[in-house]
Amino acid sequence: MRLVTALTPEALPLIEHYRLEQVDSDPLFPLYRNDTIYLVVSGIGKTLAAAATAYLHTKSGELPNQPFLNIGIAGHHRSIAGAARVANRITDQSTGQTWYPPQIIRDSMERSALITVETVERDYAEDAAYDMEAAGFYPIAWRASSAELVQSLKVISDHPGESVAHLDLQRIEGLIGNCFDEIDGLVKALQDLAGIVVSTTPEPYRLEPFVERWHFSVTQRHRLRRVLARWAVLAKGEDPLTSVPSGCPSARHTIEALENALLAKPLDLHAEVARPLPKLS
Amino acid sequence: MIQTIYIERQVADHPRAREVLARFPAAQRIDCDRYTEIFNPKNQNFRLQKQQPALIIAHKFGKRVLSAPEGYGIGGQHNYYFSHMLNCIYDCRYCFLQGMYRSAHYVLFINYDDFFASMDRTLANHPSEDVWFFSGYDCDSLALDPVTGFATHLLTFLESRQRAFVELRTKSTQIRALLAAPAIPNAVVAFSLTPTETADRFEHKAPPIAKRLQAMRQLADKGWPLGLRFDPLIFDDAFEERYRRLFEEVFAALAPQSLHSVTLGAFRMPQRFFRNLIRLYPSEPLFASPLQNRSGLVSYSKTREEEMIRFCLKELTTYVPPERLFSCSADTRQHGNPPVQTLQAAGVPKR
């Protein structure tokens, strides 16, 4: 799970609840983590949010299909201070570019359009939330993961009846902390969703025992990888090397031996497929 | 069911869009300019979106009726297809839509009249001749009909155009619109069927085979011409036993006279789509089973495919006259976008 906040007061309730520890003493962006969750504090604005999201992805191992969640405060057209809203449309006000985070998670949380602005919003003209980071965060996180796993949750801090000028760091921390249950619910739902993708990839057989014995061209390596991937599904637990005759003369013959061995195996597509447990990081 | 509805701003006031929206009062509504903003972007996961697909209400621009590939048909000379919807409410593991589209959201094009106008123009291009229009390649023709109401509009259109023949292909039991209308000879309701165990294993969320047969009987009783689509045929070690039982089950329920056509086709898919499917379902034994790339199409070996088709044809000819039987192969279809099958009369061996 990868979390992005703009301000330290937005991050503090999350650091405390998830028992996150700072990773480096002198980082480009403050970075915190536990076993399954990383959090970066980006600073204010979409450029910093984009940079920090990329930094977070790199520092957390560049793993595919990881959930990303942008958490922070936002203004809103309506007087709903303290309410949490998940963005269902993110618009970069300066460019007009719009993204639609897929709404896959079934929960009771309210949704809202979210407009990312360059300077603090005081007019709240549209029926939407206003922030300064989501349009920087979203396209980078989306590039690093899959659209369904990238979401933005905003806690409404100001509106036409309650100016942003009244906000202080303590109030911000309180707003996020008061919505922790909603935040945590979304974190868990995103982790579960990511688990669907992560948990179903079978453990591949290693190529090394083969490439050490025979010379494989680039194309043959692709074929070998494919047949070993099939082997992992159809002959799980069996060592594929045992199906290759010891005197096999070439890479081509090796691949053919593996393919023929698979062809000779009983094929029952209707048997229940055992699913490994989801991984949550 | 549907929790999110995206709607193009230009169709927001369309009466049909309002009707659809009214059916889902609890759904969140999100306005957009074009459906492609949601449907087409990269880095979407079809499998994850299948957890909770949204509905996108849109206007179809450009070509609405497309030529079917050369040689495609079930007896007609002029063959076309159209898609008033993209994607399907079912989740069949073998479906090419998972590999073709980046998004699992359902797109509903609500300018039905424009589809019918395109069909009229196509008919005008073939004066005095019959023209076939195939529905149900990019979607299930009937599964979402209670929401879209498309079938009723289509049947009204067809009533006064006797040269226009339509195949509605479905796994659905949503046949109320058909049962409420008088049967017409130029609309064939074609049901896709696989053995019960195969349907249970691969056709998630689709009605069981017994329910589909029940729906077919109801339609047959009302005089609707029916089609049977054994496509895709899926091989495993019990292939012959399963399909023999399926045919027994089908023809115990249906009189052969009610059948307009029966088609067969082994599992096959453009390689690009197949690669996407493996990415989505890396543990799926179906995709790890012995398949070959035959000129860009992933399918069974030619020998295996011939054996499968030969077996099914032999079984089926005990029930159905050969002139109503059609089969297709990976070797006889055009590559590119679906429809993926090229059908030939089984009575005229193609190889």
Side-chain angles (χ1 to χ4, degrees):
Chain A
M1 182 77 221
R2 280 81 178 109
L3 305 175
V4 180
T5 69
L7 304 169
T8 300
E10 291 169 332
L12 283 174
L14 309 170
I15 292 168
E16 184 185 328
H17 280 280
Y18 293 124
R19 297 169 193 266
L20 307 179
E21 292 183 4
Q22 189 144 17
V23 173
D24 292 325
S25 55
D26 189 22
L28 192 56
F29 294 96
L31 186 66
Y32 303 82
R33 67 167 295 187
N34 66 17
D35 288 345
T36 57
I37 296 174
Y38 283 79
L39 182 150
V40 72
V41 180
S42 68
I44 293 173
K46 69 179 183 187
T47 306
L48 284 175
T53 304
Y55 178 77
L56 172 66
H57 180 53
T58 304
K59 284 289 189 179
S60 58
E62 297 187 39
L63 299 175
N65 297 313
Q66 294 302 307
F68 281 77
L69 179 59
N70 167 223
I71 300 165
I73 55 165
H76 203 285
H77 175 80
R78 302 186 199 190
S79 305
I80 50 171
R85 291 288 183 271
V86 176
N88 57 19
R89 186 176 66 214
I90 298 170
T91 303
D92 184 336
Q93 193 184 53
S94 64
T95 65
Q97 198 169 356
T98 300
W99 299 269
Y100 298 85
Q103 304 293 299
I104 307 301
I105 293 166
R106 276 179 261 195
D107 58 29
S108 56
M109 286 188 66
E110 296 278 334
R111 263 65 180 172
S112 170
L114 176 62
I115 299 170
T116 298
V117 293
E118 299 280 353
T119 55
V120 175
E121 178 67 30
R122 296 176 197 282
D123 293 338
Y124 315 95
E126 293 184 41
D127 187 7
Y130 289 83
D131 86 332
M132 296 178 73
E133 286 81 32
F137 156 82
Y138 192 81
I140 300 298
W142 183 7
R143 187 177 274 249
S145 183
S146 184
E148 303 73 25
L149 301 174
V150 181
Q151 301 290 333
S152 183
L153 182 151
K154 298 290 166 177
V155 179
I156 305 308
S157 55
D158 50 280
H159 51 79
E162 190 173 341
S163 164
V164 69
H166 295 121
L167 278 177
D168 58 29
L169 299 182
Q170 204 173 358
R171 165 95 171 127
I172 294 169
E173 188 179 336
L175 284 165
I176 300 292
N178 289 342
C179 288
F180 181 76
D181 287 348
E182 286 103 318
I183 294 168
D184 189 47
L186 186 55
V187 164
K188 289 193 168 93
L190 283 168
Q191 286 176 320
D192 287 347
L193 202 58
I196 292 172
V197 184
V198 176
S199 68
T200 50
T201 306
E203 193 68 34
Y205 286 99
R206 291 169 54 242
L207 265 60
E208 285 75 14
F210 294 90
V211 299
E212 282 165 7
R213 288 176 62 176
W214 296 280
H215 173 71
F216 288 80
S217 68
V218 172
T219 307
Q220 285 171 331
R221 276 184 189 237
H222 286 308
R223 276 187 68 194
L224 177 66
R225 197 170 284 119
R226 172 75 191 121
V227 75
L228 290 178
R230 289 179 56 214
W231 195 282
V233 176
L234 296 177
K236 198 177 173 183
E238 288 182 40
D239 182 355
L241 258 182
T242 59
S243 289
V244 181
S246 55
C248 195
S250 68
R252 180 172 65 84
H253 288 92
T254 303
I255 293 167
E256 283 171 5
L258 291 169
E259 285 174 343
N260 289 335
L262 280 181
L263 207 55
K265 290 191 181 301
L267 182 65
D268 180 5
L269 296 178
H270 298 74
E272 266 303 307
V273 182
R275 306 266 180 225
L277 290 171
K279 297 170 193 164
L280 294 181
S281 61
Chain B
M1 182 194 176
I2 288 170
Q3 297 199 331
T4 302
I5 300 178
Y6 297 94
I7 183 162
E8 288 183 351
R9 290 184 179 91
Q10 65 177 314
V11 298
D13 292 327
H14 194 293
R16 210 167 283 140
R18 287 207 296 262
E19 279 172 35
V20 174
L21 286 168
R23 286 183 156 271
F24 302 101
Q28 62 167 328
R29 173 184 159 163
I30 304 170
D31 294 345
C32 63
D33 288 329
R34 292 287 291 130
Y35 80 92
T36 49
E37 293 176 281
I38 293 110
F39 198 70
N40 286 356
K42 291 180 183 172
N43 272 20
Q44 301 193 71
N45 187 301
F46 196 99
R47 180 177 181 176
L48 292 182
Q49 291 192 7
K50 267 290 181 192
Q51 302 282 311
Q52 187 60 52
L55 174 65
I56 307 174
I57 304 176
H59 180 99
K60 175 68 177 169
F61 288 98
K63 280 195 140 186
R64 297 176 193 93
V65 174
L66 299 161
S67 293
E70 190 67 28
Y72 183 87
I74 41 174
Q77 259 209 312
H78 306 295
N79 300 295
Y80 296 86
Y81 74 102
F82 66 92
S83 300
H84 72 290
M85 274 193 72
L86 309 179
N87 272 327
C88 174
I89 62 170
Y90 307 134
D91 188 12
C92 300
R93 194 53 62 246
Y94 52 72
C95 181
F96 71 89
L97 294 176
Q98 306 167 105
M100 186 167 77
Y101 294 138
R102 290 169 176 159
S103 169
H105 297 326
Y106 318 134
V107 181
L108 171 65
F109 298 115
I110 55 161
N111 49 327
Y112 301 164
D113 298 337
D114 291 333
F115 282 91
F116 301 144
S118 299
M119 290 164 80
D120 267 337
R121 281 194 292 276
T122 309
L123 283 168
N125 290 338
H126 303 286
S128 315
E129 293 182 279
D130 291 346
V131 179
W132 275 88
F133 298 96
F134 292 86
S135 161
Y137 290 99
D138 297 328
C139 65
D140 183 293
S141 298
L142 295 175
L144 214 56
D145 201 60
V147 173
T148 68
F150 181 75
T152 302
H153 293 276
L154 178 65
L155 296 178
T156 305
F157 169 83
L158 290 174
E159 270 170 21
S160 55
R161 286 145 180 99
Q162 283 151 17
R163 291 194 296 113
F165 285 77
V166 166
E167 181 200 79
L168 295 165
R169 190 178 288 205
T170 190
K171 291 189 180 89
S172 162
T173 55
Q174 299 291 355
I175 54 170
R176 258 173 297 174
L178 297 167
L179 294 178
I184 51 175
N186 51 335
V188 176
V189 193
F191 282 76
S192 298
L193 300 171
T194 53
T196 298
E197 307 88 331
T198 307
D200 291 347
R201 168 77 174 79
F202 294 113
E203 297 174 355
H204 309 294
K205 301 178 189 169
I209 297 300
K211 293 276 183 197
R212 288 180 228 174
L213 289 174
Q214 201 179 345
M216 292 187 83
R217 276 187 74 145
Q218 286 178 277
L219 290 168
D221 289 346
K222 287 274 290 181
W224 285 96
L226 299 178
L228 291 173
R229 305 293 175 252
F230 300 109
D231 190 351
L233 299 171
I234 291 179
F235 180 83
D236 76 358
D237 291 343
F239 172 80
E240 294 192 358
E241 183 195 325
R242 288 189 214 285
Y243 277 87
R244 187 179 289 121
R245 260 192 284 128
L246 171 65
F247 299 149
E248 284 170 6
E249 197 181 344
V250 168
F251 291 102
L254 297 173
Q257 302 89 297
S258 61
L259 296 177
H260 168 275
S261 53
V262 179
T263 68
L264 290 168
F267 174 83
R268 66 212 174 280
M269 188 174 294
Q271 190 183 22
R272 184 167 60 88
F273 300 172
F274 187 74
R275 281 196 192 124
N276 291 338
L277 257 65
I278 292 176
R279 271 185 223 120
L280 291 173
Y281 296 96
S283 296
E284 174 52 59
L286 171 62
F287 306 143
S289 62
L291 297 163
Q292 293 182 352
N293 181 356
R294 291 164 61 187
S295 309
L297 258 196
V298 173
S299 58
Y300 297 112
S301 72
K302 192 170 177 178
T303 312
R304 166 134 318 148
E305 185 187 82
E306 283 174 350
E307 285 168 1
M308 292 163 74
I309 299 275
R310 195 181 305 122
F311 169 80
C312 291
L313 286 176
K314 183 167 165 275
E315 291 290 315
L316 286 167
T317 44
T318 63
Y319 303 104
V320 186
E323 65 273 15
R324 292 189 198 173
L325 274 174
F326 300 83
S327 71
C328 55
S329 149
D331 295 335
T332 54
R333 64 163 290 270
Q334 302 287 311
H335 295 184
N337 286 335
V340 296
Q341 301 94 333
T342 294
L343 302 173
Q344 295 191 348
V348 187
K350 54 185 175 290
R351 291 185 288 262

